[in-house]
Amino acid sequence: MSIWKTVCPVDDILPGTGVCALIADRQIALFRPYSDEQIFALSNIDPFFAASVLSRGLIAEHQGELWVASPLKKQRFRLHDGYCLEEREFSVTAYPVRVCDHQVQIALTTNPE
């Protein structure tokens, strides 16, 4: 089961940048590549160094896909699914994200009781 959590107004994320949000004890990097309301959400933790830095990475296009390059060693993670281009086993979690009434929302999975 998923629960949608409202994070922030979409305009709080400048186009071409990423920000980090703490949601239910998870650091989630939110990326807004363009000035529209398209948002992507990945784990903020760089798996190569266990550092909370992906939200500060560079957004780039490669082979028709959007990626974020880690600010540490520039490994690239695909924005729509977290796939790591350099080493697949270091891929990161991607979260479902939507914008409703100009508010960014993230879906978090919960365990049924």
Side-chain angles (χ1 to χ4, degrees), residues 3-70:
I3 296 174
W4 288 94
K5 298 281 190 180
T6 298
V7 181
C8 65
V10 71
D11 289 334
D12 282 0
I13 307 170
L14 296 174
T17 67
V19 298
C20 181
L22 183 62
I23 305 167
D25 296 329
R26 299 178 205 179
Q27 288 192 35
I28 299 178
L30 301 169
F31 300 97
R32 185 180 181 193
Y34 306 113
S35 60
D36 60 13
E37 291 191 341
Q38 183 179 35
I39 304 290
F40 297 92
L42 300 177
S43 169
N44 191 46
I45 309 300
D46 181 323
F48 289 89
F49 300 98
S52 305
V53 298
L54 289 186
S55 63
R56 292 183 266 152
L58 298 173
I59 298 171
E61 188 173 327
H62 175 70
Q63 297 178 344
E65 302 257 21
L66 289 171
W67 302 77
V68 61
S70 172

Side-chain angles (χ1 to χ4, degrees), residues 95-107:
Y95 295 91
V97 61
R98 68 185 183 190
V99 177
C100 291
D101 297 323
H102 304 291
Q103 298 292 315
V104 177
Q105 297 181 334
I106 302 293

Side-chain angles (χ1 to χ4, degrees), residues 69-104:
S70 172
L72 298 176
K73 295 285 187 173
K74 307 299 183 245
Q75 287 91 356
R76 291 164 287 181
F77 301 90
R78 194 165 43 205
L79 289 184
H80 76 85
D81 63 2
Y83 176 82
C84 180
L85 182 63
E86 288 75 20
E87 293 186 50
R88 169 178 68 198
E89 62 272 12
F90 283 92
S91 298
V92 298
T93 301
Y95 295 91
V97 61
R98 68 185 183 190
V99 177
C100 291
D101 297 323
H102 304 291
Q103 298 292 315
V104 177

